[in-house]
Amino acid sequence: MSYELETLNLAGSGFNGHIPHWLGEFRDLKYLNLDVNRFYGQIPASLGQLSSLRELYTSDNSLNEAIPSLLGILFNLRRLDVSENSLEGVLSEAHFANLSCLKELTVSKNLLRLKVRPDWVPTFRLKTIELASCRVGTEFPPWIWMQKKVDRLDLSNASISGTLPKWLGSMKLSYFNLSHNQINGTIPLYFPSSQNHIDLSNNQLSGPLSSKIDLQNNRISGVIPDCWSSYQNLGVIYLSSNKLSGVIPRSIGQLSAPQWLHLNNNTLQGNHPSSLSTCRTLTDLDLAENNFSGIVSAWIGEDLLSLQILRLRSNMLSRHIPSQLCSLYTLQILDLANPADVQWSNEDVTEVMKGESIEHTEIVMFVANMDLSNNNLAGPIPQKLMDLTGMLGSNLSHNHVTGSIPQDIGKLMSSESLDLSYNELSGIIPQTMSALTSLSHLNLSYNRLSAEIPTGHQLQILDDLPSIYIGNLGLCADPLPKKCRPVEPTVPTITEEEEEGKVLQKMRFDAVLVQGFVTGFWRVLGAIFSRRSWRHSYLQLVEEVADWIFVAVAVRRID
């Protein structure tokens, strides 16, 4: 048999009996996996001779004796998993004496008892600590405070009593389970905002809450209790991404100065309670991804004038959006889209803008985005929207918006993204749109727009040309292949009544002309024949002219 083996994986192989002692002869072994078999008895002390071993897995067996302290000399060991057995006895400092490289310690679901000095300083820096169902002592283990890199901590059903230490709030954990203990007292100021899972169930916690409660991304179920009038100092409430049901309790409206209220991604229902209208200090209200019904309440725009972020997307609200929302002059993100997949993480906000998901981290005061897409909205674009001159992104796509694009859309000078696609807009594209010099994303596709596409430097350098105009059969000119027809001068048509009027007018003019000629002619003749001297002069002139004509004709005939 060759003892130069470095990797041995026997997981799920159906072996039973004792773990062979001769495995300790494989001195070059770095990876040993005996998970999911039917081994029983003890872990052989000979495994302590595997000085090169880095990973040891014996979980999900029937091992039922003490763990040999010789495992504590495996100075290269990085991962140790002996969970889900029936191991018993004591884990002492000797078991960890030389495990300075250890990163993951998993001994959950055994009958072990951890016995170390209160001032014990371990040499390892763990990332994973799983001691569920092990007796770790009556107090929260103080040595865990020194594990600055720990990401996953499971001390459930570990016989811990007493209060939670304040330093626990400074730990950056993604998974934290303290359920099924006898912990009492109050919850610390807050748990790290980076947590994805927190479980404090089945303990004896009591007392008032702090100014911030952060229980998001857990499995909390049932209704929200109507007891918030007792917690006047609460300013931040994060209960998002749980399994909460029922309605929003009216007592939340009795908080003295709430600022952040996140109840998104639950199964809450009913109408928005009017008691929230008294929360005039709210800056961020997130009720998205629930089952709320009814109308979007007008009091949101009348009373919550400090709102900077309002998210109501993915509910069952009616199509009507009250015009009072336009009075929220501090509003920077308005999200009524339906459906969508957006998640909060404290001050990190992800919104759909420029056709992509954009994350704004702790700079929401500089963001102004309105997303009303997929809401079955109907009617023309409200003129008041053109007054939101600080808007950076506007998304009205996938609705039933009709009418024309407002002529003064050029007032949205800060706009970087404008999406009006998949609506029923008609008419021309206003030339004023070329004044949007900050615009980098435009989508007008699939409407009923017509006529020539306006020109302008900004409109010629947009992304995704010409797809932003497709689906509008009446549009023409660059960048579309369809060219506009030249405008032909129109000849005015004359009606029958107008023609008859012109004929009558001409007849009247001719009659007046003849009448004037006859009158003038007889006046001249009358003046000539009324005076004797004028008559003789006139007849003499006629005779002379006649003689001159006769002589001229006779001379021409002779020639």
Side-chain angles (χ1 to χ4, degrees), residues 17-19 21 39-45 62-68 87:
H18 293 278
I19 297 176
H21 289 273
F39 290 119
Y40 57 86
Q42 67 175 10
I43 298 175
S62 300
L63 301 172
N64 54 8
E65 296 187 22
I67 298 177
L87 294 168

Side-chain angles (χ1 to χ4, degrees), residues 9-30:
N9 188 351
L10 301 176
S13 299
F15 289 109
N16 56 22
H18 293 278
I19 297 176
H21 289 273
W22 46 262
L23 287 177
E25 301 296 326
F26 292 89
R27 303 299 174 85
D28 295 330
L29 201 62
K30 296 180 180 179

Side-chain angles (χ1 to χ4, degrees), residues 36 94 107 117 146 213 222 254 284 309 312 347 359 392 436 449 481 492 535 556:
V36 196
V107 296
R117 292 177 289 112
M146 290 172 281
I213 178 172
Q254 300 177 23
D284 302 286
I309 299 174
L312 302 176
E347 295 182 357
E359 183 172 303
L392 299 181
L436 303 180
L449 299 171
R535 184 171 61 252
R556 179 168 295 183

Side-chain angles (χ1 to χ4, degrees), residues 108-167:
S108 298
K109 299 182 181 179
N110 282 290
L111 303 174
L112 297 168
R113 180 167 66 93
L114 181 65
K115 186 178 181 180
V116 295
R117 292 177 289 112
D119 59 349
W120 176 51
V121 180
T123 59
F124 48 66
R125 293 292 181 268
L126 297 176
K127 293 183 178 180
T128 298
I129 303 175
E130 296 193 8
L131 299 174
S133 300
C134 296
R135 289 176 291 168
V136 300
T138 57
E139 297 181 353
F140 200 92
W143 60 269
I144 292 180
W145 178 74
M146 290 172 281
Q147 304 302 305
K148 302 298 184 182
K149 296 184 178 180
V150 66
D151 179 70
R152 183 179 179 89
L153 178 60
D154 189 349
L155 296 175
S156 59
N157 193 28
S159 302
I160 300 174
S161 59
T163 60
L164 294 175
K166 293 182 178 180
W167 50 260

Side-chain angles (χ1 to χ4, degrees), residues 451-455 466 469 474-485:
E452 184 176 357
I453 297 173
T455 58
Y469 299 117
L475 284 179
C476 58
D478 292 335
L480 296 177
K482 181 181 178 181
K483 303 305 177 184
C484 297
R485 294 181 179 179

